[in-house]
Amino acid sequence: MAQIEYKDLLDAGVHFGHLTRKWDPRMAPYIFMEKNGIHIIDLNKTVAALDEAANAIKGIVRSGRKVMFVATKKQAQEIVSEEARRLKMPYVTDRWQGGMLTNFATIRKSLKKMQTLDKMLKDEETVKSIAKRERLTRSRDKEKLERVLGGISDLTRLPAALFIVDVKREHIAVAEAHRLGIPVFAMCDTNSNPEEVDFAIPANDDAYKSISLITLAIGKAIEEGLMERKQDKDDQRVQEEEEAKRTEDLAQAKAEGASQPEATSAPAAIAEDEQEAQ
């Protein structure tokens, strides 16, 4: 992953924490100082934590698993949804529906319902055959489902990890992930509890620039993981083709070797006849 420079973090305001009276004492190891009643995050800790998180998340993606992005606060919705769509990863930016992980079977039913409604409303003959009131009702149901579940419409199994922007706001998602043993990567501001997540990235989780910088850094790590996975698949395919060719060549060589004595039997017989004549 391209190393984020200290200056980039400063320019994005990643170091600005919350008011000192709103802090969580468990964030003390990540706080550099207090200034004008605001805690300042130690950016050296941020760089180290981000690097560790990026390497871990890259490994998860390289193994072929999905990472779910979770950010329902207004200033994070756009950047998180765009990055998740670019990487073809699941995301939740409207609201976290309780049981989205722990009751995934029910969520799958809702996804199936959304797909059925979408298919039905695209069929002109079906649309014409139902009453206008019913059509409007079904359209509203579809829009509501798409708003809440649209980001996970392609999710067929539980994600392997979560990337969360605000731990306090998304506490239900964190709790569900813990219950299922799913690792959580999260931006933790000075009012958060970093012990609730597996990979805490100390950073300002309120400013758009800060959220954007950290999200794009995680997105870059995921992209690298996807590229490495593709390379692994290509290398494996080449290796399989080479092994198949080697096996084919070996079989052909054996076949030629088996037919060789028949070809040399005639000269051997002639040599024997010449010896007898002498």
Side-chain angles (χ1 to χ4, degrees):
M1 187 190 80
Q3 186 69 36
I4 291 181
E5 296 183 2
Y6 196 92
K7 185 177 182 298
D8 297 329
L9 296 171
L10 275 175
D11 292 342
V14 175
H15 57 296
F16 290 120
H18 281 267
L19 295 171
T20 53
R21 58 186 173 83
K22 291 185 178 181
W23 81 310
D24 189 315
R26 286 163 291 197
M27 277 294 291
Y30 303 102
I31 294 175
F32 177 66
M33 63 179 289
E34 174 192 336
K35 185 176 182 181
N36 299 328
I38 295 175
H39 276 130
I40 304 298
I41 295 169
D42 187 346
L43 294 182
N44 290 315
K45 300 284 182 68
T46 302
V47 170
L50 184 58
D51 192 49
E52 181 185 3
N55 288 329
I57 212 164
K58 182 164 67 173
I60 289 172
V61 175
R62 186 173 182 176
S63 66
R65 294 173 292 172
K66 297 282 187 179
V67 176
M68 180 184 282
F69 287 69
V70 183
T72 60
K73 63 198 315 179
K74 189 176 181 181
Q75 58 269 49
Q77 289 175 341
E78 183 182 355
I79 182 64
V80 169
S81 60
E82 284 181 1
E83 190 66 6
R85 281 196 295 266
R86 183 180 74 84
L87 299 166
K88 296 182 180 178
M89 291 291 168
Y91 64 93
V92 177
T93 54
D94 184 74
R95 71 179 180 86
W96 182 268
Q97 188 169 333
M100 193 169 282
L101 296 178
T102 53
N103 196 13
F104 190 63
T106 302
I107 297 298
R108 288 287 302 278
K109 289 179 182 177
S110 297
L111 288 172
K112 190 173 181 181
K113 180 183 176 182
M114 181 180 72
Q115 291 165 358
T116 302
L117 286 170
D118 183 55
K119 187 177 180 181
M120 184 192 71
L121 292 171
K122 284 181 178 178
D123 187 347
E124 293 182 4
E125 292 184 5
T126 306
V127 171
K128 289 177 182 178
S129 65
I130 59 177
K132 184 178 179 180
R133 185 182 183 84
E134 185 181 356
R135 187 165 67 246
L136 287 171
T137 302
R138 293 188 181 185
S139 295
R140 291 193 188 102
D141 290 342
K142 174 179 167 287
E143 288 172 4
K144 183 180 178 181
L145 286 169
E146 281 186 340
R147 189 172 63 251
V148 179
L149 304 175
I152 62 168
S153 59
D154 296 328
L155 194 64
T156 55
R157 59 176 179 169
L158 288 171
L162 262 61
F163 170 67
I164 295 176
V165 169
D166 188 333
V167 175
K168 290 196 73 172
R169 186 183 181 94
E170 316 299 346
H171 64 279
I172 298 175
V174 174
E176 289 189 26
H178 277 316
R179 187 173 174 182
L180 296 172
I182 297 173
V184 177
F185 298 75
M187 293 177 65
C188 292
D189 212 326
T190 55
N191 67 335
S192 306
N193 177 12
E195 296 174 4
E196 291 181 347
V197 301
D198 300 274
F199 294 88
I201 305 169
N204 179 354
D205 63 12
D206 293 310
Y208 175 82
K209 285 185 178 180
S210 175
I211 294 169
S212 178
L213 184 66
I214 302 299
T215 300
L216 292 176
I218 293 295
K220 180 66 176 174
I222 291 174
E223 186 177 17
E224 289 179 3
L226 291 171
M227 290 173 65
E228 288 179 6
R229 176 168 174 75
K230 184 177 181 299
Q231 185 62 47
D232 291 343
K233 282 185 174 181
D234 291 342
D235 292 344
Q236 184 179 358
R237 188 176 66 254
V238 170
Q239 186 177 358
E240 288 175 354
E241 289 174 355
E242 288 177 352
E243 288 179 359
K245 183 70 167 61
R246 196 179 298 116
T247 303
E248 184 182 344
D249 292 344
L250 187 60
Q252 187 176 354
K254 285 182 178 179
E256 290 175 354
S259 62
Q260 192 68 23
E262 296 179 2
T264 58
S265 59
I270 292 170
E272 288 177 2
D273 292 340
E274 288 178 352
Q275 285 181 350
E276 290 176 0
Q278 291 175 355

